[in-house]
Amino acid sequence: MFGIYNLHRRVKTDALVYLHPAFSNAVATRWKIMLVAAAGVVIGVLLSQNMLVIPQKVIFNPGVFVFNDIIVIFLAMMIADVIILYIFRNIGLSSASIIMVLFGLLGSSVAVSLVRIRSMRKTFSDLILFINPGDVLQIIGGIFVSVIIAFAAGVVVQFLVRLLFTFRYRLHFRRYGYLFGAILITLVFYFIMINGSGLSFLREFSVLPDSILRQVWKYYWIALVISLVFWYLLLLVMRRFFRKNVLKTIILIGIFALSLTMTTNETVNYAGVPLTGLASFNEWFASGAEGELFKVDFLTKNVHTPNIILALVGLVVALVLVSGKTPVKDPEIVLLPNSGSEDDQTALSLKLARRMTRLSFFLGERAKQFIPGKFLLWVQSRFDAARNERTGELQVISYDAIRLVVNLYLSVALISMATSLTLPVSTVFVVMMVMLGTSFSDRGWGRENAVQRFSGIFAFLGNWAFTAFLALMLSAFVAWIIIVGGKPVTITMIFLTAFLVVREQVINRRNFRKISEEEELINDKDEIEKSIDKCSRQVVKTIISANKIFSFTMDSFLNEDRAGMHRTLNLNEEINKKSRKQKDKIIQTISSVKQLDVDSGYFYIQINDYQREIAHSLNLLTVPLHEHLENQYKTFNASQVDDIRMVVSEIDTYFNFALHIVKEEKFESLDEWMNQKISILETLEQIEKGQIARIKNKEVDVRNSLLFFKAMAEIKNLLAHVVSLLKSYHGFIMVNRKSG
């Protein structure tokens, strides 16, 4: 259960991060990219035998434990992992799988070791006989060093590659691209086949005769030269004779290689513990001995996991990857929350990030003083933006195919080197640090976003430290209560874990439905009618949501339904968040979408502004009514209730008419609809006069009157904003269809 849950949890989130640029650059169809990645995943799992020794003997010394101890260690680690994932999922934190597995195993093995030490009447100093602190520290150091190396390598390699190809890479790629691609693919061949487990895999499955494999290993440099020449000629022929896009071919091979290397390194995270536990169970069951007497010293040797099991694991991973419905994450958004509001950005501007930014700019300015001016001018010329081939205008390419190639192949090299050293790393974070490094080299960092980028990195590292501490302590606690409580506690913890897994899946499905219902922003690939259709869906959903929240709010308040009011507040919070996100992204949309000229861009901004104002008016209406209800104050009297119900009915008709106008584009009915608004305002005027009469007759108190007039004022604002929304939408359609 743990293995399947971890597969489902990790692959559908982290494993899709590195595929986002491939989708964004339209390298191939989605299914082709996913199938290439899935093929790499299956082979990567089959090559992960060497990494599976980590949960067997790297963290602890299995020679001093018995079968019951091992089961407690693994079970406690799995339960703690599920609990932490559930907690992080609900508070919006990300988690590094290798950190959780490593410190989870360390915590539970320390707890079990201390119990064993006490039962054997030994001292705390004997803990070193049970734990391997040197190996643990080596892995921890390697994980954190890999982050620095990934960023530095991304900066240096991308700088050199950009000097070679520039942003106007198409011309230069015709000269050097075939050799460049052949070198990269040959390096992948070396890291996977020679330096990795590729040749061992071929020998085990008898793909090639053993004699040939020995010669390849002995004279591997000849194999590399042959590979270089072969791929150079193949890429050249593909371009010259078949007119294929060579760069896309190189990218697809890179996707396959990165999927393979990431899976090879990460299989231990989601399958290492279950597979080791299964191997221990099989050995114990075959021995017929008692669990308290059966020593698991066989784990000191490299326990070979049957290839059929690895193949099944690989197929499961591939199926989860291909069938995953989770939206692909933009890695720059994961580490760069600069699309949030100004308040969010300020909160993320940590002191350390600000100091690092100031230091970086200071060192950059000082370094320029020691570099010849002519060299700086030459470098600047290599980093000039490319011109659009059709319009001749300068265009800023934020993420081109050359950078994608560097990200893929450099990540393959770094992760493969770590795997060859049997060093688990946070592969997704290595990939993202390479991406940030190449972005830095391509001058994607400036005064506007450097603080946020550094802040994101430090936030991730801080999250790692918190995850490590939590995994260590929680797994140790779970192991201790399992030992003390015995079978009842063990069964209870297993049922709790199963409950959390099921509950998270329910929450995931609910959240996916919310995500799928969110309005899509216009992008540069949309035609005129597609842009209008997207804008129409935004406006329709805003009107429906506003009517629903308004009706539910007033109905819940008048019926003194606190539960209903609470649900309404949740709906109101959703529309507030949605409108806030749209408004935060509007400037980026206007600048990137070429179809939006000045006039249509103006109306599109107006539409988003009025959506935000509608959400704000609903919030100002709902919150005071909710507080009034929560404080158990007197609600409206019978005459006030009648007045409010009459207004709700008229506004419902008003919203439905607006919906009809937008859906059917019946803008000739705008005048008739506006007359409805005038009628509602006249009704509100009479209702307010009636309230004044009630005040004169001492029928209502001050609190009642203030709340009543507050509601009337926000209803008027809501009506005004809906009118402005429809007028802006009408203008958006007219301008776009006229230009189209």
Side-chain angles (χ1 to χ4, degrees):
M1 183 184 73
F2 170 79
I4 294 175
Y5 170 76
N6 240 357
L7 281 174
H8 193 265
R9 185 70 168 82
R10 304 291 184 187
V11 174
K12 290 186 71 175
T13 52
D14 294 346
L16 291 175
V17 169
Y18 69 94
L19 295 178
H20 181 274
F23 292 124
S24 301
N25 281 270
V27 174
T29 62
R30 180 182 179 88
W31 271 104
K32 185 180 291 186
I33 293 173
M34 297 297 275
L35 289 175
V36 168
V41 161
V42 174
I43 298 176
V45 173
L46 291 172
L47 296 178
S48 63
Q49 285 280 3
N50 292 338
M51 296 299 295
L52 294 178
V53 303
I54 292 172
Q56 296 173 8
K57 60 181 181 180
V58 174
I59 308 299
F60 53 83
N61 180 14
V64 298
F65 290 106
V66 295
F67 174 73
N68 285 358
D69 296 333
I70 291 294
I71 293 301
V72 171
I73 290 172
F74 290 161
L75 184 61
M77 176 264 157
M78 295 176 187
I79 292 173
D81 186 273
V82 172
I83 293 173
I84 293 172
L85 283 176
Y86 180 81
I87 294 172
F88 280 21
R89 167 68 180 77
N90 282 277
I91 63 178
L93 289 179
S94 59
S95 58
S97 54
I98 182 58
I99 297 291
M100 295 179 64
V101 171
L102 176 65
F103 283 90
L105 284 175
L106 181 61
S108 58
S109 58
V110 167
V112 173
S113 300
L114 292 176
V115 173
R116 287 289 307 276
I117 288 172
R118 183 178 180 182
S119 65
M120 298 168 65
R121 299 184 182 280
K122 292 187 176 183
T123 62
F124 182 78
S125 60
D126 293 318
L127 182 63
I128 197 171
L129 300 175
F130 296 81
I131 307 298
N132 299 322
D135 293 337
V136 173
L137 290 175
Q138 181 180 357
I139 293 175
I140 296 172
I143 292 172
F144 282 92
V145 169
S146 66
V147 172
I148 301 173
I149 293 176
F151 182 79
V155 172
V156 174
V157 174
Q158 180 64 23
F159 179 77
L160 297 176
V161 171
R162 190 61 74 188
L163 284 180
L164 176 63
F165 289 106
T166 74
F167 282 103
R168 303 175 295 277
Y169 62 86
R170 288 180 174 83
L171 174 62
H172 300 285
F173 195 83
R174 296 192 189 102
R175 301 175 182 172
Y176 323 114
Y178 311 116
L179 180 60
F180 177 69
I183 292 173
L184 293 179
I185 298 173
T186 300
L187 286 175
V188 167
F189 171 78
Y190 169 77
F191 283 117
I192 295 176
M193 301 302 296
I194 308 299
N195 196 48
S197 306
L199 292 180
S200 301
F201 173 78
L202 295 178
R203 181 182 294 111
E204 185 172 351
F205 283 86
S206 302
V207 177
L208 291 174
D210 196 56
S211 58
I212 295 179
L213 294 176
R214 282 198 298 268
Q215 292 300 315
V216 171
W217 176 259
K218 184 177 181 180
Y219 301 104
Y220 68 88
W221 57 273
I222 297 179
L224 294 179
V225 172
I226 294 174
S227 172
L228 180 65
V229 174
F230 169 78
W231 284 106
Y232 175 78
L233 295 176
L234 179 62
L235 295 176
L236 188 64
V237 169
M238 286 175 61
R239 180 59 185 171
R240 295 290 175 84
F241 295 98
F242 297 98
R243 313 303 297 174
K244 295 291 184 181
N245 190 322
V246 172
L247 198 53
K248 290 185 177 181
T249 303
I250 295 171
I251 291 172
L252 286 175
I253 295 174
I255 291 173
F256 169 81
L258 185 55
S259 300
L260 187 152
T261 53
M262 287 181 69
T263 310
T264 302
N265 194 281
E266 276 207 331
T267 300
V268 63
N269 298 339
Y270 48 74
V273 170
L275 291 177
T276 304
L278 178 62
S280 302
F281 175 82
N282 290 336
E283 290 288 333
W284 166 75
F285 187 78
S287 70
E290 293 290 334
E292 296 178 355
L293 301 176
F294 180 72
K295 285 189 171 291
V296 290
D297 50 0
F298 71 95
L299 291 177
T300 56
K301 305 173 184 177
N302 289 346
V303 178
H304 186 274
T305 303
N307 289 314
I308 184 65
I309 294 179
L310 290 179
L312 290 174
V313 172
L315 289 174
V316 172
V317 178
L319 287 174
V320 172
L321 179 66
V322 173
S323 63
K325 295 181 181 179
T326 302
V328 179
K329 295 180 179 179
D330 186 344
E332 299 242 347
I333 292 176
V334 174
L335 271 178
L336 175 58
N338 64 347
S339 59
S341 64
E342 292 183 5
D343 293 336
D344 296 332
Q345 291 182 14
T346 302
L348 285 168
S349 300
L350 305 175
K351 290 184 178 180
L352 188 57
R354 290 171 175 170
R355 290 178 181 178
M356 185 64 72
T357 302
R358 287 194 292 268
L359 178 62
S360 300
F361 282 114
F362 172 76
L363 293 177
E365 292 299 324
R366 282 300 180 92
K368 288 181 181 179
Q369 299 176 4
F370 300 97
I371 300 175
K374 291 184 178 180
F375 179 76
L376 285 176
L377 291 175
W378 177 76
V379 170
Q380 177 62 43
S381 68
R382 307 299 288 181
F383 280 81
D384 285 341
R387 290 188 179 274
N388 189 291
E389 294 179 355
R390 290 178 296 180
T391 64
E393 297 178 355
L394 288 175
Q395 55 182 0
V396 179
I397 302 177
S398 60
Y399 203 114
D400 63 3
I402 293 296
R403 198 203 300 181
L404 175 56
V405 168
V406 174
N407 288 337
L408 290 171
Y409 284 87
L410 183 56
S411 300
V412 168
L414 295 174
I415 296 172
S416 296
M417 285 190 287
T419 304
S420 66
L421 298 173
T422 321
L423 180 66
V425 294
S426 179
T427 56
V428 172
F429 200 63
V430 167
V431 173
M432 287 198 288
M433 290 304 295
V434 169
M435 289 179 175
L436 285 175
T438 57
S439 172
F440 179 85
S441 185
D442 269 353
R443 303 184 179 183
W445 292 39
R447 293 183 181 272
E448 295 80 10
N449 57 18
V451 171
Q452 284 79 12
R453 291 181 185 250
F454 277 125
S455 178
I457 295 172
F458 292 137
F460 257 87
L461 295 178
N463 190 26
W464 276 11
F466 176 66
T467 302
F469 174 78
L470 188 59
L472 181 74
M473 302 305 295
L474 184 58
S475 59
F477 174 74
V478 173
W480 178 74
I481 63 172
I482 287 176
I483 294 173
V484 174
K487 289 184 180 180
V489 173
T490 304
I491 294 172
T492 302
M493 295 301 297
I494 291 174
F495 273 106
L496 173 63
T497 305
F499 169 76
L500 293 180
V501 170
V502 173
R503 178 173 172 79
E504 183 176 8
Q505 297 310 309
V506 173
I507 293 174
N508 284 341
R509 290 185 180 181
R510 189 184 306 157
N511 288 341
F512 177 73
R513 285 196 294 268
K514 290 179 183 178
I515 293 172
S516 63
E517 292 173 357
E518 286 186 356
E519 295 88 356
E520 297 178 45
L521 287 175
I522 297 172
N523 59 59
D524 56 355
K525 297 178 182 178
D526 293 334
E527 300 294 336
I528 296 295
E529 288 302 320
K530 181 67 173 177
S531 300
I532 292 174
D533 181 61
K534 283 187 175 182
C535 189
S536 173
R537 290 204 300 270
Q538 290 181 25
V539 174
V540 165
K541 290 180 180 179
T542 299
I543 294 172
I544 292 174
S545 298
N547 191 18
K548 184 177 180 180
I549 292 172
F550 175 75
S551 300
F552 282 9
T553 297
M554 303 312 297
D555 189 61
S556 299
F557 179 76
L558 296 179
N559 294 324
E560 298 188 48
D561 182 3
R562 293 175 63 252
M565 183 63 80
H566 185 69
R567 288 192 295 270
T568 305
L569 276 177
N570 290 336
L571 290 173
N572 187 47
E573 181 63 24
E574 287 179 18
I575 193 175
N576 259 297
K577 288 181 179 178
K578 196 181 297 182
S579 63
R580 194 182 305 124
K581 286 181 180 179
Q582 284 183 220
K583 189 168 183 178
D584 290 337
K585 294 179 180 179
I586 188 65
I587 301 302
Q588 180 182 352
T589 302
I590 294 296
S591 63
S592 61
V593 179
K594 301 299 182 184
Q595 305 95 285
L596 294 178
D597 57 17
V598 174
D599 292 331
S600 58
Y602 167 77
F603 283 116
Y604 191 61
I605 289 177
Q606 291 294 306
I607 290 170
N608 280 271
D609 281 342
Y610 290 124
Q611 285 177 315
R612 183 77 186 100
E613 291 300 326
I614 289 172
H616 186 59
S617 290
L618 289 170
N619 188 64
L620 292 177
L621 174 67
T622 305
V623 172
L625 293 175
H626 172 260
E627 291 178 354
H628 190 91
L629 208 58
E630 286 292 311
N631 291 332
Q632 301 295 317
Y633 296 140
K634 287 183 179 180
T635 55
F636 295 157
N637 60 32
S639 61
Q640 288 176 307
V641 170
D642 291 339
D643 288 344
I644 294 295
R645 291 199 186 280
M646 180 174 59
V647 171
V648 170
S649 177
E650 291 188 20
I651 290 180
D652 181 65
T653 304
Y654 174 80
F655 274 122
N656 287 330
F657 198 174
L659 206 58
H660 170 73
I661 292 173
V662 174
K663 284 185 174 181
E664 305 298 330
E665 296 189 9
K666 298 287 186 180
F667 295 108
E668 64 273 11
S669 302
L670 276 174
D671 290 338
E672 182 183 351
W673 178 65
M674 291 290 293
N675 289 333
Q676 276 194 6
K677 180 199 171 187
I678 295 173
S679 175
I680 295 173
L681 291 177
E682 291 174 351
T683 301
L684 292 174
E685 181 181 345
Q686 295 302 317
I687 290 174
E688 288 178 330
K689 288 180 179 179
Q691 179 67 11
I692 294 173
R694 283 187 286 269
I695 294 172
K696 291 280 189 180
N697 296 328
K698 309 295 184 180
E699 296 177 19
V700 292
D701 58 16
V702 175
R703 180 178 288 110
N704 178 293
S705 298
L706 289 175
L707 182 65
F708 192 88
F709 284 120
K710 171 79 173 172
M712 294 299 105
E714 291 307 326
I715 290 173
K716 293 176 186 177
N717 290 335
L718 180 63
L719 296 175
H721 295 322
V722 173
V723 170
S724 300
L725 175 65
L726 260 66
K727 287 183 176 180
S728 298
Y729 173 64
H730 184 211
F732 179 80
I733 290 181
M734 297 295 292
V735 168
N736 273 281
R737 291 206 169 131
K738 183 178 179 180
S739 62

